[in-house]
Amino acid sequence: SSPSSPSLPASLQPHVPLHGQHDELMRKIHAVYLGCVSYSDYLFGLLHDTLKETGLDQTTATFVFADHGDYAGDYGLVEKWPSGLDDILTRVPLLISLPEAWGGVANGSVAAPVQVFDIVPTVLELANITAEHTHFGESLVPFLQNPDLGNTAGAAVAVGTMGASGESGLTPGASAHPGTSDTLFEWPRGGPDGPAAFAEGGYSSYDTNDFEGRCDPDCPTPDSIYYPKVMQEQNERLSVCRAASIRTATHKLVYRSDFTDRTKHMRDSELYDLVADPFELNNLYNSTDSDLVQLKHRLYHRLMDWLFLTSDVSNWAEDSRYSMPGNISFEYSNRGRIDRHDLAGIGEDADGKPIHWWANGLN
């Protein structure tokens, strides 16, 4: 059985056929999940051994990661949930092996929070390829070549261990006081509370086609193993409303809202102290403690800035249908961001004369 759980899992438990089952079944679920992990590890070992046997390990970077986690019995739940932002779902392993000739450091460990989409700019830098699209990932190559860079700037919260009686504890020897440097990343990934990672999920109530369980073309039937899940999505849509989170090494803020319920964020948003509460069981969102209120506001500001600054991204490549005279292609920029030097003197008007006024107002 699971300990007392936060609001989202609590709203899901009554709809899960496993709710209220005995510990023996939950242990079987854990065993199956861990067995899958072990088998995946075995398969990766075969690949790793082959690289070493062929000598390709000296010229090959390898990445191991996951798209998401699984409740696997925690909180009395299984699988995942579209708006679930618990660490058990969003905090995934990321292992990268870099050849020594490329500056790789053996047995290094980086504690600062990073994001899965940091893998793309990392691979591009290793392959000496310039990105041709707008992205917001950060190359992890500096960490791979100097792991201490990611540790002094924000040590990770130690992985909790669950005792027989259900009490939580930190891994022995782990630091409970992570750093809070804001120099590792630019705002909003960097900030006064340390480096942060962001996640989002869920659906808005007006996007009715997003919800599972619609009759398309056939309606779900009670004999389907997913029937309870999809019926909850259809009948209790606010349980899967849009959600976004910011996670530092020490705290996590989860914000939930929907057009149909403007006060939902007050009831179902979440704030956790991950040092004292690594299993996210004590929701502090509505705490009146002055320090927590200020922390919540700081994290909320960073989260909203992240969503604002990373939204509405345009394609660098021009649409072939867009052929207005004097149009400027983003292909002229080799720095990833257009500035005055990119635009000055580039492009021609209908008479073939250079256009300079496009650069006005740019910094």
Side-chain angles (χ1 to χ4, degrees):
S1 61
S2 65
S4 174
S5 55
S7 57
L8 178 65
S11 72
L12 305 182
Q13 289 166 349
H15 301 270
V16 179
L18 297 174
H19 181 56
Q21 296 291 331
H22 297 295
D23 285 353
E24 181 180 355
L25 178 58
M26 293 301 178
R27 291 193 181 96
K28 288 182 179 179
I29 293 173
H30 272 142
V32 171
Y33 187 78
L34 294 175
C36 291
V37 172
S38 296
Y39 183 60
S40 297
D41 184 62
Y42 164 75
L43 294 177
F44 175 70
L46 296 180
L47 173 62
H48 182 265
D49 291 344
T50 301
L51 289 174
K52 292 189 66 175
E53 292 169 2
T54 58
L56 291 174
D57 61 319
Q58 300 302 311
T59 57
T60 303
T62 55
F63 294 73
V64 180
F65 54 96
D67 55 346
H68 59 78
D70 194 299
Y71 284 119
D74 286 0
Y75 308 115
L77 303 172
V78 292
E79 296 195 347
K80 59 185 189 299
W81 188 249
S83 61
L85 297 176
D86 314 88
D87 264 18
I88 197 70
L89 301 181
T90 60
R91 188 179 182 185
V92 298
L94 175 58
L95 307 175
I96 304 176
S97 175
L98 199 64
E100 183 177 354
W102 297 4
V105 177
N107 302 317
S109 177
V110 174
V114 297
Q115 304 187 132
V116 172
F117 63 52
D118 291 333
I119 294 172
V120 171
T122 302
V123 172
L124 291 178
E125 180 174 347
L126 292 173
N128 196 28
I129 297 174
T130 301
E132 297 182 356
H133 65 288
T134 299
H135 68 84
F136 304 97
E138 299 280 353
S139 173
L140 302 179
V141 170
F143 295 158
L144 299 175
Q145 297 175 341
N146 181 14
D148 289 341
L149 177 66
N151 294 325
T152 57
V157 173
V159 177
T161 55
M162 183 69 78
S165 61
E167 72 278 4
S168 63
L170 295 177
T171 301
S175 170
H177 303 287
T180 56
S181 169
D182 60 356
T183 60
L184 189 62
F185 299 121
E186 294 181 357
W187 177 274
R189 284 193 64 176
D193 296 290
F198 300 86
E200 56 190 285
Y203 316 126
S204 177
S205 58
Y206 60 73
D207 288 326
T208 56
N209 286 334
D210 289 341
F211 294 86
E212 299 174 279
R214 62 186 184 277
C215 299
D216 184 22
D218 299 321
C219 295
T221 57
D223 58 342
S224 169
I225 60 173
Y226 285 107
Y227 185 78
K229 174 187 177 183
V230 299
M231 284 297 97
Q232 179 174 358
E233 287 194 31
Q234 288 295 325
N235 299 328
E236 299 180 28
R237 294 190 171 184
L238 287 179
S239 69
V240 70
C241 75
R242 284 186 177 176
S245 70
I246 173 173
R247 187 198 193 283
T248 69
T250 59
H251 292 86
K252 177 195 285 185
L253 171 69
V254 180
Y255 187 81
R256 305 180 190 279
S257 188
D258 190 83
F259 282 105
T260 63
D261 188 344
R262 299 304 177 88
T263 62
K264 183 173 179 60
H265 70 278
M266 299 174 63
R267 301 191 311 275
D268 294 331
S269 292
E270 304 168 56
L271 176 66
Y272 298 107
D273 180 341
L274 298 174
V275 177
D277 179 26
F279 298 107
E280 303 171 70
L281 301 177
N282 183 23
N283 186 356
L284 303 171
Y285 186 82
N286 289 316
S287 171
T288 58
D289 178 86
S290 59
D291 290 338
L292 288 174
V293 170
Q294 293 178 32
L295 171 69
K296 179 173 68 175
H297 289 165
R298 291 197 305 271
L299 294 179
Y300 177 81
H301 184 194
R302 287 176 69 179
L303 177 60
M304 292 302 111
D305 258 14
W306 172 258
L307 295 175
F308 179 81
L309 295 171
T310 59
S311 64
D312 197 22
V313 173
S314 300
N315 194 335
W316 285 20
E318 293 177 6
D319 192 300
S320 60
R321 297 169 295 178
Y322 185 54
S323 57
M324 292 175 58
N327 180 42
I328 297 176
S329 172
F330 280 175
E331 67 187 35
Y332 285 101
S333 173
N334 59 8
R335 289 185 290 279
R337 293 182 175 89
I338 298 297
D339 61 22
R340 178 185 300 277
H341 302 289
D342 291 307
L343 299 184
I346 296 177
E348 296 178 344
D349 61 17
D351 297 326
K353 298 178 181 178
I355 294 177
H356 294 277
W357 52 265
W358 285 80
N360 291 340
L362 293 174
N363 297 318

